[in-house]
Amino acid sequence: MFEFKMPSLGASMEWGVLAEWNVREGDTVERGQVICEVETEKGNIDVEIWQDGVVQKLVAEPGTKVPVGETLALVATEAEAEGEPEPVAEPEPVEEPKPVAEPKPVAEPEPVAEPEPVTEPEPVADMEEERQRLRVSPAARKRAAELGVPLEQVEPTGADGAITLVDVEAAAKKAPEAPEHHVRVSPVAKRLAAELGVDLSAVDGTGEHGAIVRADVERTARERRREEAVEKPTVDEADSQRQAMRHAIAAAMERSKREIPHYYLEHTVDVTDTLQWLADRNAEVPPTERVLPVVLFMRAVALAAREVPEMNGHFVDGEFRPSEAVHLGNIVSMRGGGVVAPAVHDVDKKSSGEVMAALRDVVKRARRAKLRASEMTDPTLTLTNLGDQGVEKVWGVIYPPQVAIVGVGKITERPWAKDGMLAARQTATLTLAADHRVSDGIVGAKFLSLIEAFLHQPEEL
């Protein structure tokens, strides 16, 4: 048995709000599976579990503010889950007192209990099993829930006896009044629905036999609030979100400046031939497969980090822990204000085309608040690129527990001596902020020189 705890999703994060569970008690979970959503000051994050097992208990309720490190759920390993019934079976030999149970014949009022027909709940269970075996399209299941149409009462017309959307609509027309009588609602859920103004016909029940319970009403209310927020974000809400993000960023940067002894280096590199190679490459492929200049910088930084491990890893509990993988954090500006720095994983092992696809995906999800916890906690080194904003140099602040951040400035044409000749060349200024507890200027200089060397071999990127 192990505890699934609230993770730290940022340098300044002290707590998170459990927004939603994606699993139920008894569900089997696999390593890397997203099992819940957590709301932080920087937005909502999908949180994965990193061990296989079976959910034994959901400790935290959705909507609960949970400190970092506190237990969210209890999860048993599959071996533990399978082994639990065995001890329960052991008491069977102790059933020697069965002869004592002989007075049962005295309790012959059992025949009086002829209301055995009352044990008709058994067929209800059978109906439930049949209902679970039904073939139902996702659209049909959703529409049936909206209309309150019991799926076991729908006549299927689809392939292999599948229930389609048309079947559900037809069943709803035949028995328009049935829905209300077939919806089971707990008293608490009914009262809460009235308080929150939730239409019970739009709620999917997750309780026993599909009954609507409190958690279902709360989930529906949250989903409705999110939809309304997307459709009509109020000035106050938007301002509150911006303030929360600014607070989180400020807290992380304050911690960085307080704890990390920064040192800074800069190096201007000639990227004329690199950009020409990229232009030729992009001209030969469809628009969807073209690569931006920043991807070449990402690849060069990742390959250099592999050779200078002092730049790639985390400083935790008073010691540096280098990382074998290079998960490069990228600063993404949010449309509502603020920034996040999610990771693109294994940049040193991917091709430039794969890095471009991964970067496009993570930026899109970051702006839709659909990042995963691993993307927020895995970065081993960060790249910040403000060159496209016209900034010639950018001096970054290290994001704890990382130990370095690389900045890329605007690509600028300037006089440059090459092979004894002076000419106008395309150049970019690279900057490095690194942690003096782990490295010094000589190591930092080597790192920047390697980045330049890799940029001059674009065919290797």
Side-chain angles (χ1 to χ4, degrees):
M1 184 81 68
F2 66 92
E3 297 178 346
F4 175 70
K5 299 181 178 182
M6 174 65 73
S8 175
L9 303 173
S12 63
M13 180 174 166
E14 298 179 352
W15 52 265
V17 176
L18 177 63
E20 184 175 8
W21 283 112
N22 296 334
V23 295
R24 303 178 191 172
E25 292 180 357
D27 284 359
T28 298
V29 293
E30 299 178 353
R31 176 182 172 83
Q33 178 181 340
V34 174
I35 69 169
C36 70
E37 182 178 329
V38 171
E39 182 181 339
T40 73
E41 291 179 313
K42 285 198 171 187
N44 285 24
I45 307 294
D46 290 335
V47 181
E48 309 104 308
I49 191 168
W50 295 107
Q51 186 169 336
D52 297 340
V54 178
V55 179
Q56 296 296 299
K57 184 177 181 180
L58 300 178
V59 178
E61 292 276 343
T64 306
K65 186 175 180 179
V66 183
V68 170
E70 289 293 312
T71 302
L72 294 174
L74 297 177
V75 183
T77 64
E78 292 185 357
E80 289 173 331
E82 291 173 3
E84 283 179 0
E86 292 179 11
V88 178
E90 285 178 16
E92 288 185 13
V94 184
E95 286 184 2
E96 291 180 7
K98 281 184 180 177
V100 181
E102 287 181 9
K104 283 187 179 177
V106 181
E108 286 182 9
E110 285 184 13
V112 181
E114 284 182 10
E116 284 182 7
V118 179
T119 56
E120 288 181 8
E122 290 181 17
V124 176
D126 294 339
M127 288 177 62
E128 177 63 16
E129 290 177 6
E130 282 188 28
R131 186 185 70 79
Q132 291 178 353
R133 289 197 297 269
L134 292 173
R135 293 173 177 267
V136 189
S137 71
R141 189 179 295 277
K142 180 179 179 182
R143 187 57 175 159
E146 293 172 351
L147 298 176
V149 175
L151 290 171
E152 62 271 14
Q153 296 181 10
V154 179
E155 295 182 12
T157 62
D160 297 324
I163 295 174
T164 66
L165 186 61
V166 175
D167 299 332
V168 173
E169 298 280 5
K173 290 178 182 177
K174 289 180 183 177
E177 296 179 3
E180 293 183 10
H181 300 290
H182 288 279
V183 177
R184 297 187 179 189
V185 188
S186 73
V188 174
K190 187 174 291 186
R191 183 169 62 252
L192 184 61
E195 293 174 358
L196 299 177
V198 173
D199 181 4
L200 289 172
S201 65
V203 179
D204 293 329
T206 61
E208 187 175 0
H209 302 309
I212 295 174
V213 295
R214 176 175 182 165
D216 302 326
V217 175
E218 292 175 336
R219 184 186 66 252
T220 303
R222 282 197 308 274
E223 290 172 352
R224 186 184 65 184
R225 285 196 298 270
R226 283 181 196 162
E227 291 172 0
E228 291 174 351
V230 171
E231 294 173 4
K232 292 184 177 181
T234 66
V235 175
D236 289 343
E237 287 174 341
D239 186 55
S240 176
Q241 291 171 357
R242 280 193 295 271
Q243 288 181 5
M245 181 167 285
R246 298 284 5 139
H247 176 271
I249 294 170
M253 297 302 97
E254 180 183 14
R255 174 188 164 189
S256 175
K257 283 296 189 179
R258 183 177 65 249
E259 297 180 0
I260 301 175
H262 288 59
Y263 70 87
Y264 304 92
L265 300 173
E266 72 170 87
H267 183 47
T268 301
V269 299
D270 178 4
V271 292
T272 305
D273 296 339
T274 306
L275 295 178
Q276 184 58 56
W277 176 88
L278 181 61
D280 294 340
R281 176 205 178 277
N282 285 342
E284 297 175 356
V285 298
T288 55
E289 296 179 18
R290 291 175 185 171
V291 169
L292 295 175
V294 68
V295 170
L296 300 187
F297 285 102
M298 289 174 65
R299 283 279 294 154
V301 169
L303 293 174
R306 198 162 62 183
E307 296 193 22
V308 185
E310 294 90 342
M311 297 294 150
N312 187 56
H314 295 157
F315 194 90
V316 182
D317 297 332
E319 64 177 10
F320 175 59
R321 300 176 185 174
S323 172
E324 293 183 3
V326 182
H327 303 318
L328 195 59
N330 285 266
I331 306 294
V332 179
S333 60
M334 307 296 281
R335 292 192 177 94
V339 297
V340 292
V344 174
H345 290 90
D346 299 310
V347 176
D348 58 321
K349 299 175 183 176
K350 289 181 167 75
S351 67
S352 57
E354 291 171 332
V355 173
M356 183 71 242
L359 179 64
R360 186 182 292 115
D361 172 64
V362 79
V363 169
K364 181 190 297 182
R365 286 187 293 106
R367 289 174 175 162
R368 291 169 52 203
K370 285 295 180 182
L371 289 173
R372 291 191 167 193
S374 57
E375 291 165 334
M376 296 299 293
T377 58
D378 285 357
T380 56
L381 171 66
T382 293
L383 176 76
T384 178
N385 172 35
L386 288 178
D388 56 354
Q389 301 298 314
V391 176
E392 292 191 15
K393 297 178 186 177
V394 51
W395 297 100
V397 179
I398 301 170
Y399 195 83
Q402 297 168 45
V403 296
I405 181 170
V406 176
V408 179
K410 177 184 177 182
I411 295 174
T412 306
E413 188 174 76
R414 68 185 69 193
W416 194 266
K418 181 177 173 63
D419 298 329
M421 301 291 291
L422 188 65
R425 306 282 291 181
Q426 299 288 98
T427 65
T429 298
L430 306 177
T431 59
L432 171 68
D435 188 338
H436 242 317
R437 296 173 299 181
V438 179
S439 65
D440 52 35
I442 294 177
V443 176
K446 176 184 176 182
F447 181 54
L448 288 178
S449 295
L450 278 171
I451 295 175
E452 178 182 28
F454 282 116
L455 285 171
H456 289 168
Q457 304 172 56
E459 63 281 355
E460 300 296 324
L461 302 176

